Amino acid sequence: MTNNNIPSKAKIRETYESYTDYFTKIMENIISILHQKIILQSQPTYKNRVKSFSSYYKKVLRLKPEDAAEADGIVCLTDMIGIRMICAFLEDINIALEQIKNIFEVKEVEVKGAEKKFSEFGYESIHVLIKIPDDCKPPLEGPFANLKPLPESAVCEIQIRTILQDAWAEVEHELIYKSEFNPFDIPLRRKLASLNASLTLADITFQEIRDYQTKLQREIEDRRQSFYSMADNLLDEHPESKATENISRVTPFVQGTIDDLLLQAIHEHNLGHLEEAVETYTKILNAVNDDKNIIAVIRKHRGMAYFSMNKFEDALNDFEVSLQYDPKAYRTYYYKGIVYSIQKKYDLAIQNYNRSLEINPYQAHTHFRRAMAYFEMQEYEKSMNDLNSAINLGMKPEDCKVLQEKLVKKFGMSM
């Protein structure tokens, strides 16, 4: 007995394929929006596809006859238009999901693979169904003039995965869904489960490393800004302000590796616990033997700590040793220049600013500091040139105002 409610495969194919270019255009428009509006620390990459007819037809056959028999239009499935957003790190997935919710009208969010047991294999992925925005639908004219409007229920599926989750899903599809397992495949299933667990652990480890780097970078940037702030105070002859206030910081990692010790030392440094910071920096130096890169970094940071303690000769010694191991470290030359400026050894300060700018000429603050040193040396034309370079490289005019006014007076000019 046949069911006359089910249209023929040929009719379904004809209808579906008439919409293929239309779906492609919708997909391109949505991807364009994602490129413009999804902002992650590491921007995602995208894959996309319009579902093939063979896959589409298999799903249509699983529908109820009354749902499949839409003689007046196309049978809409949730994954006819598929976009895959591939992120670098696990934390990016949730950030991307929240941004998608702010950009589109989300109809459904499903976490695939969350129900799997540890001993089972299966990829993890977040599947988001979004309503197709009206402005992403091409006008039903020209090549699309014969199409009927999509129903309001039409959606696009956006899958969000990490790089490793996507790699696993691709391989899993080839090994599992394109073949038939039987009970004798249990050992192979266990191997796949083990491999999937290894990839999941790798994703977690990558995220932990990124978290560590983010914390360390934040501490280093705070340390640098505190150093500059204290240099400003000392150059302005206000040494009582040392920028060592006790500020709430991220908690350092448990002490163990050299990286952990470095984060701990910088954390103590930022809190103004300078003796403890120097002690930890020294502990690292005693443990690293002849690793030039580590010695250069630790000596530089310990020098900054000595600077904050007004131990300028100790700071200069550490900076000098750091440069012996890393002679291209332009910031370390800059730090030396600041110490010499505070000691009013302006010729030595200028020598170090020169060396820093030879390595990297695009440093607004180094041009500004050299301008201040030139002013003290009564080389006003050089000072003005450096001041102009600093402003051109992005130095805020208000930060340059005092020196600029002094130079104007020397040149007898009006502002």
Side-chain angles (χ1 to χ4, degrees), residues 395-412:
M395 193 87 175
K396 294 179 181 179
E398 57 267 28
D399 293 338
C400 303
K401 187 176 180 180
V402 173
L403 179 58
Q404 196 171 42
E405 289 175 348
K406 289 180 180 179
L407 285 168
V408 167
K409 288 181 181 178
K410 294 295 181 181
F411 284 112

Side-chain angles (χ1 to χ4, degrees), residues 11-233:
K11 176 62 177 176
I12 294 176
R13 178 191 291 274
E14 179 184 355
T15 302
Y16 183 74
E17 292 184 347
S18 69
Y19 278 87
T20 300
D21 290 342
Y22 188 72
F23 290 153
T24 300
K25 189 62 180 174
I26 289 174
M27 184 173 61
E28 291 171 352
N29 291 338
I30 293 175
I31 289 175
S32 178
I33 293 173
L34 292 171
H35 275 295
Q36 293 173 30
K37 297 189 176 182
I38 295 294
I39 306 297
L40 302 177
Q41 189 172 338
S42 299
Q43 283 299 92
T45 57
Y46 296 92
K47 296 180 181 178
N48 57 85
R49 62 99 182 98
V50 173
K51 200 171 189 67
S52 68
F53 174 73
S54 59
S55 297
Y56 171 81
Y57 185 65
K58 287 178 183 178
K59 281 201 170 185
V60 168
L61 291 181
R62 294 201 291 267
L63 298 177
K64 295 178 181 178
E66 57 270 24
D67 294 331
E70 287 195 18
D72 199 33
I74 186 169
V75 179
C76 281
L77 304 179
T78 58
D79 61 348
M80 294 186 303
I81 303 171
I83 297 172
R84 189 175 301 167
M85 179 188 297
I86 304 170
C87 304
F89 298 96
L90 285 170
E91 71 171 351
D92 294 334
I93 291 178
N94 287 330
I95 296 172
L97 175 59
E98 291 307 309
Q99 292 183 13
I100 288 172
K101 289 179 179 178
N102 292 330
I103 297 167
F104 302 104
E105 180 181 336
V106 173
K107 310 300 285 187
E108 181 182 316
V109 176
E110 181 182 4
V111 181
K112 297 281 189 178
E115 75 286 354
K116 296 286 184 181
K117 296 179 182 178
F118 178 76
S119 59
E120 296 176 327
F121 53 85
Y123 72 88
E124 293 185 10
S125 179
I126 292 182
H127 291 201
V128 186
L129 299 183
I130 64 165
K131 179 182 178 182
I132 298 173
D134 290 337
D135 57 2
C136 289
K137 300 174 184 176
L140 296 179
E141 57 190 34
F144 307 127
N146 295 326
L147 301 182
K148 295 184 181 299
L150 292 178
E152 282 297 309
S153 60
V155 294
C156 168
E157 182 182 71
I158 301 176
Q159 299 177 1
I160 316 174
R161 301 174 181 167
T162 65
I163 295 169
L164 293 183
Q165 287 172 350
D166 186 62
W168 168 254
E170 294 285 358
V171 174
E172 182 190 45
H173 183 76
E174 292 294 323
L175 293 180
I176 300 170
Y177 293 106
K178 287 189 176 181
S179 64
E180 293 293 333
F181 273 121
N182 58 57
F184 298 103
D185 291 311
I186 290 176
L188 185 55
R189 285 176 175 268
R190 287 175 177 164
K191 288 183 179 180
L192 288 168
S194 176
L195 178 59
N196 187 31
S198 296
L199 290 174
T200 300
L201 178 60
D203 252 340
I204 293 170
T205 303
F206 284 147
Q207 183 62 55
E208 289 177 345
I209 293 171
R210 189 197 207 192
D211 290 342
Y212 173 86
Q213 290 177 329
T214 300
K215 290 180 179 180
L216 181 60
Q217 190 59 41
R218 187 183 302 121
E219 294 281 1
I220 289 175
E221 182 58 30
D222 286 348
R223 174 86 321 267
R224 187 177 297 131
Q225 292 304 319
S226 179
F227 179 92
Y228 295 159
S229 177
M230 183 179 176
D232 286 335
N233 289 325

Side-chain angles (χ1 to χ4, degrees), residues 181-310:
F181 273 121
N182 58 57
F184 298 103
D185 291 311
I186 290 176
L188 185 55
R189 285 176 175 268
R190 287 175 177 164
K191 288 183 179 180
L192 288 168
S194 176
L195 178 59
N196 187 31
S198 296
L199 290 174
T200 300
L201 178 60
D203 252 340
I204 293 170
T205 303
F206 284 147
Q207 183 62 55
E208 289 177 345
I209 293 171
R210 189 197 207 192
D211 290 342
Y212 173 86
Q213 290 177 329
T214 300
K215 290 180 179 180
L216 181 60
Q217 190 59 41
R218 187 183 302 121
E219 294 281 1
I220 289 175
E221 182 58 30
D222 286 348
R223 174 86 321 267
R224 187 177 297 131
Q225 292 304 319
S226 179
F227 179 92
Y228 295 159
S229 177
M230 183 179 176
D232 286 335
N233 289 325
L234 290 172
L235 288 169
D236 290 339
E237 299 181 349
H238 297 297
E240 68 277 2
S241 177
K242 294 187 179 181
T244 58
E245 62 274 14
N246 195 325
I247 303 173
S248 176
R249 304 287 180 183
V250 298
T251 301
F253 282 12
V254 176
Q255 181 174 321
T257 66
I258 289 175
D259 286 334
D260 298 333
L261 286 172
L262 175 58
L263 184 56
Q264 177 185 330
I266 295 174
H267 180 75
E268 291 167 340
H269 195 160
N270 285 339
L271 290 174
H273 303 160
L274 300 175
E275 295 287 353
E276 292 89 341
V278 168
E279 182 180 343
T280 307
Y281 288 133
T282 304
K283 187 183 297 183
I284 297 172
L285 289 170
N286 291 336
V288 297
N289 297 321
D290 296 324
D291 192 311
K292 294 182 179 179
N293 291 330
I294 296 177
I295 292 172
V297 170
I298 303 305
R299 285 279 192 163
K300 177 178 68 175
H301 284 290
R302 193 176 70 174
M304 295 170 76
Y306 280 136
F307 174 86
S308 297
M309 299 166 72
N310 291 336

